[in-house]
Amino acid sequence: MSLTVNAKILGTGSYLPEKLLTNADLERLIDTTDAWIVERTGIRERHVAADNEFTSDLAKVAAERALQAAGLSANDVELIVLATTTPDRVFPSTACLLQNKLGMTNGAPAMDVQAVCSGFVYALSTANAFIRSGQVKTALVVGAETLTRITDYTDRGNCMLWGDGAGAVVLGATSTEAGIISTHLHADGRYEEMLFVEGGGTCGLGQSPKMRMQGNSVFKMAVNTLDAIVDETLQANGLSKSDIDWLVPHQANKRIIDATAKKLEMPTERVILTVAEHGNTSAASIPLALDVGVKDGRIQRGELLLMEAFGGGFTWGSALVRF
Ligand code: UT7
């Protein structure tokens, strides 16, 4: 009889660039106040990549830290799935650039996943499928972004949100119960106009890429959609709200996270919140928050984690993980 194969998180890691952009700095750039930003978003500061730091550089440090935590070396990795919406180049993929920077020469497949803020959940789900199907035994899953490079610092409607950073997990095949229990992915491509990058890509050649967002409409869609994905995840696994030990959400806006926590009847102490210090780092925000919760000792082995995200596309999804 063959044993069920699960994908277990063997180690986590993250990296934040040194430079900070505080709300006080933004008060000097746009017509805003620290009080407005804190009240409407919960954000106090965000990290900004140095001029010579690119998404693959951030990813490299996060990946090295995750590998160290897992007790593995880079050439033990049999698959890289990297989620980003700010790749170093159109091609090669940032996953391939990362593979080279990690010194990997074992020929492991490497690919990017583009699902904007839901990217990490999409990447985790992809790597989980490779492991569960027996194609690989070890996978490196990374979320990495340099969003400040595509931020329009004349647009006070969204420029206060975005930050740079990277987070990574190493997954390993296991026959124990620990690991990724289920993932739930969705997309609805009808809402391009609400959240997109103007310029860049093949329809905006020669134009510097900048994020555009109808913030309030996206906010409402995010709250309602995350409400539904929480129900879907619990129902699919026959769980009740009280079974979840930790909510590890995409860090878009503290008010969106509060709404999901309320839906789950979870006290703030059971939510890993990094939005105040990291801002919204898109695909990097969940693995960054996970690493913070693991390294400070709050998240313990055997606990049940719910990760969820909503972002451009629109895309949304969740992952239920027995850590
Ligand atoms: O990561 C996944 C996708 N993204 C998200 O999930 C983000 C979703 N959206 C949001 O987080 C929020 O919509 C924002 C934080 C972007 C905006 O907050 P809001 O509560 O939705 O504000 P609003 O856009 O409805 O604007 C309310 C008021 C407006 O003034 P009036 O028209 O009421 O006089 C804005 O002009 O706040 C004004 N405003 C600002 N005031 C000070 C907008 N931006 C700013 C600002 N500083 N930076």
Side-chain angles (χ1 to χ4, degrees), residues 223-236:
V223 170
N224 291 332
T225 308
L226 290 171
D227 198 276
I229 198 87
V230 165
D231 280 339
E232 182 184 327
T233 312
L234 294 176
Q235 275 169 24

Side-chain angles (χ1 to χ4, degrees), residues 9 60-61 72 79 117 138 156 181 189 200 246 259 272 277 303:
I9 297 179
K60 175 181 182 259
V61 185
L72 294 174
L79 167 72
C117 297
T138 311
R156 75 170 186 162
I181 296 168
W246 294 101
I272 307 294
E277 303 83 27
E303 290 185 318

